[in-house]
Amino acid sequence: MIQKMSDKQPISFSEPVRKLTRQARIECNGHVVTVGGNAPVRIQSMTNTDTVDAVETAIQVKELALAGSELVRITVNTPEAALAVPYIREQLDRMGVHVPLIGDFHFNGHTLLTDYPACAKALSKYRINPGNVGKGEKRDRQFGMMIEAAARWNKAVRIGVNWGSLDQELLADLMDENSRRPTPWDVRQVMYEALISSAVESAQRAEQIGLAGEQIILSCKVSGVQDLVAVYRELSKRCNYALHLGLTEAGMGTKGTVASASALSILLQEGIGDTIRVSLTPQPGESRNQEVVVASEILQALELRRFVPSVTACPGCGRTTSTTFQELAKDIDDFLRARMPEWKKSFPGVESLKVAVMGCIVNGPGESKHADIGISLPGTGEAPAAPVYIDGEKRMTLRGDDIVSQFRVLVEKYIEERFGRASNL
Ligand code: SF4
């Protein structure tokens, strides 16, 4: 028997409920980027230039920041790199780019942060890998020196544990303990435990040394989607530090993008994660900004944040007569992205705009009506005309060879009228 509508319950919206974490404040020239607590999920990225080349590094940091990266990490691996850091900061300040810089330290961070105070001061946050700070008693002393530098300069710290550079002494201890269990755990489960223990215990040690718990962000990166999900679910239960999410060594192109999006989306949907980085290997000739584009698309697809107007486009099928609609979809997408820096200033709220570009009459009118402005191109056998829908109603029909430019003009006019009006209220 078919149930009557009056007997049914409304279907709940699917909205992630963020797990409340402590909020870190990452400061740069008086501008503060908050991470955790009620702050939006932040996007971060990492340069792949030689930090010693201060000009090239500053240019790439600027590009990443303009693409939407709210924090940018740079490698600080040698005295020369540490010396370059204040110059990179200076150049960014001169260009009006106030994105906080994070120093990525391994092996010699204790020395670099102590011997190069200008570097320690110019950075806004330090990344410390507890698996790469030395062994035995040296480890505690060197870790302590880095935390003391952070406390002295009032910087935030990410304690970033990585599957590939796990604290071997801790892992060996846990393996020994596991072998004494009546029913030993799977080796992978011991690895999970080692990752989480290393991060949480290091954070507790950092607090004992004098760093405020709010200024600590944790990460436990692995390269497998299911491993990442398992580890972060448990990590978020064991602490309330802000969490940095990322799949390490995600890989290139489609594989890296899909793996990162899958892993991050599962966790973000469960409310886990305060800042994300998508670790893509750029394909030859590909811009480093791609990792920022993918990170923004993940957050926008999950409706956690909005950055650019969304373009709904059908995939096309045997009903489409040409590539016109593919070109139009790409053209409109590129056009919206290119105009956003200017529109953001003049038309507040423009990032919520929804545009539809559809291939034929089957879903074209319906999907276009759901968008703020949509166009339904003619499919095979349809009259060579493209109806345009604005705010759910058919307003006009475009014809001719320059439908693309006509539609662009309409989109721009719609934005000016709707969002320009909002800014004048
Ligand atoms: S809207 Fe038309 S062209 Fe696009 S996928 Fe559907 S049937 Fe094919």
Side-chain angles (χ1 to χ4, degrees):
M1 199 179 80
I2 297 172
Q3 209 182 3
K4 283 191 280 178
M5 186 67 183
S6 55
D7 296 335
K8 294 176 184 169
Q9 293 295 318
I11 299 161
S12 306
F13 296 113
S14 168
E15 273 175 322
V17 179
R18 295 271 304 281
K19 293 204 171 157
L20 201 62
T21 52
R22 287 192 257 185
Q23 187 171 79
R25 289 168 57 83
I26 299 158
E27 195 264 334
C28 173
N29 302 333
H31 300 262
V32 174
V33 177
T34 47
V35 175
N38 59 1
V41 179
R42 302 292 184 187
I43 294 176
Q44 57 179 287
S45 58
M46 187 171 183
T47 56
N48 61 355
T49 52
D50 179 357
T51 306
V52 176
D53 189 336
V55 173
E56 205 192 343
T57 302
I59 290 170
Q60 193 177 69
V61 170
K62 182 184 176 189
E63 286 170 359
L64 289 163
L66 290 180
S69 186
E70 294 161 295
L71 301 153
V72 179
R73 185 158 44 118
I74 57 177
T75 297
V76 188
N77 54 341
T78 59
E80 292 74 23
L83 282 170
V85 170
Y87 292 105
I88 296 168
R89 182 70 270 163
E90 208 179 293
Q91 296 196 40
L92 290 166
D93 295 347
R94 240 186 270 140
M95 294 189 280
V97 179
H98 301 297
V99 68
L101 289 176
I102 307 165
D104 196 58
F105 294 97
H106 299 270
F107 311 113
N108 57 357
H110 58 291
T111 312
L112 298 177
L113 284 171
T114 311
D115 295 352
Y116 299 89
C119 164
K121 187 174 174 221
L123 294 167
S124 300
K125 181 180 160 206
Y126 311 150
R127 183 271 169 108
I128 304 176
N129 180 342
N132 285 343
V133 290
K135 292 196 175 93
E137 63 179 65
K138 259 193 189 173
R139 185 193 59 183
D140 292 346
R141 187 168 47 82
Q142 294 176 171
F143 178 78
M145 284 169 75
M146 297 178 81
I147 296 299
E148 278 160 15
R152 189 179 324 128
W153 294 106
N154 194 23
K155 306 294 180 181
V157 161
R158 169 162 67 101
I159 295 180
V161 180
N162 196 301
W163 186 263
S165 50
L166 194 48
D167 179 337
Q168 292 303 307
E169 285 167 306
L170 173 71
L171 181 62
D173 287 349
L174 291 180
M175 286 290 191
D176 284 350
E177 207 181 316
N178 189 47
S179 64
R180 291 193 293 273
R181 282 178 209 279
T183 314
W185 296 353
D186 186 279
V187 171
R188 189 184 278 217
Q189 292 171 308
V190 181
M191 292 282 277
Y192 292 170
E193 187 56 47
L195 281 160
I196 295 169
S197 299
S198 176
V200 175
E201 287 169 19
S202 300
Q204 288 166 346
R205 213 174 309 136
E207 284 200 69
Q208 284 161 7
I209 294 168
L211 191 65
E214 288 71 25
Q215 290 301 77
I216 298 174
I217 296 169
L218 294 191
S219 69
C220 286
K221 292 196 182 178
V222 295
S223 55
V225 173
Q226 298 298 354
D227 294 326
L228 194 85
V229 171
V231 167
Y232 271 84
R233 277 180 179 157
E234 185 59 26
L235 180 63
S236 78
K237 279 189 210 150
R238 290 206 203 166
C239 68
N240 64 356
Y241 296 112
L243 298 183
H244 165 125
L245 273 191
L247 194 69
T248 191
E249 288 102 35
M252 275 192 165
T254 312
K255 187 256 164 196
T257 304
V258 172
S260 289
S262 307
L264 269 48
S265 297
I266 294 168
L267 290 163
L268 290 167
Q269 184 66 16
E270 293 178 15
I272 301 169
D274 300 293
T275 174
I276 61 171
R277 189 215 166 185
V278 173
S279 305
L280 286 184
T281 310
Q283 307 208 57
E286 188 177 57
S287 161
R288 187 69 168 173
N289 292 356
Q290 186 59 15
E291 65 174 65
V292 179
V293 173
V294 173
S296 336
E297 293 289 357
I298 293 171
L299 296 180
Q300 181 144 336
L302 292 171
E303 298 186 26
L304 282 166
R305 297 189 67 180
R306 286 202 180 280
F307 302 98
V308 285
S310 60
V311 178
T312 303
C314 79
C317 68
R319 284 177 175 271
T320 45
T321 48
S322 68
T323 55
T324 310
F325 96 96
Q326 291 172 339
E327 285 161 10
L328 179 59
K330 177 155 187 348
D331 187 284
I332 291 295
D333 202 49
D334 292 347
F335 169 66
L336 295 171
R337 280 181 194 280
R339 301 285 283 122
M340 268 313 277
E342 199 186 309
W343 284 344
K344 256 200 278 188
K345 289 185 214 143
S346 320
F347 307 124
V350 66
E351 61 278 3
S352 65
L353 178 78
K354 289 185 178 160
V355 181
V357 178
M358 301 295 292
C360 85
I361 201 169
V362 172
N363 287 324
E367 200 63 68
S368 299
K369 280 181 197 165
H370 287 138
D372 296 311
I373 177 163
I375 186 167
S376 177
L377 292 161
T380 313
E382 293 175 31
V388 173
Y389 296 80
I390 296 178
D391 294 332
E393 282 177 28
K394 183 177 163 187
R395 292 288 176 82
M396 66 201 68
T397 301
L398 304 182
R399 292 185 172 83
D401 297 335
D402 62 341
I403 283 179
V404 173
S405 51
Q406 289 181 59
F407 188 60
R408 268 205 216 188
V409 172
L410 290 174
V411 170
E412 183 127 30
K413 189 162 169 270
Y414 180 87
I415 289 171
E416 276 171 18
E417 282 177 5
R418 179 167 159 194
F419 298 98
R421 208 171 43 228
S423 70
N424 292 330
L425 286 178

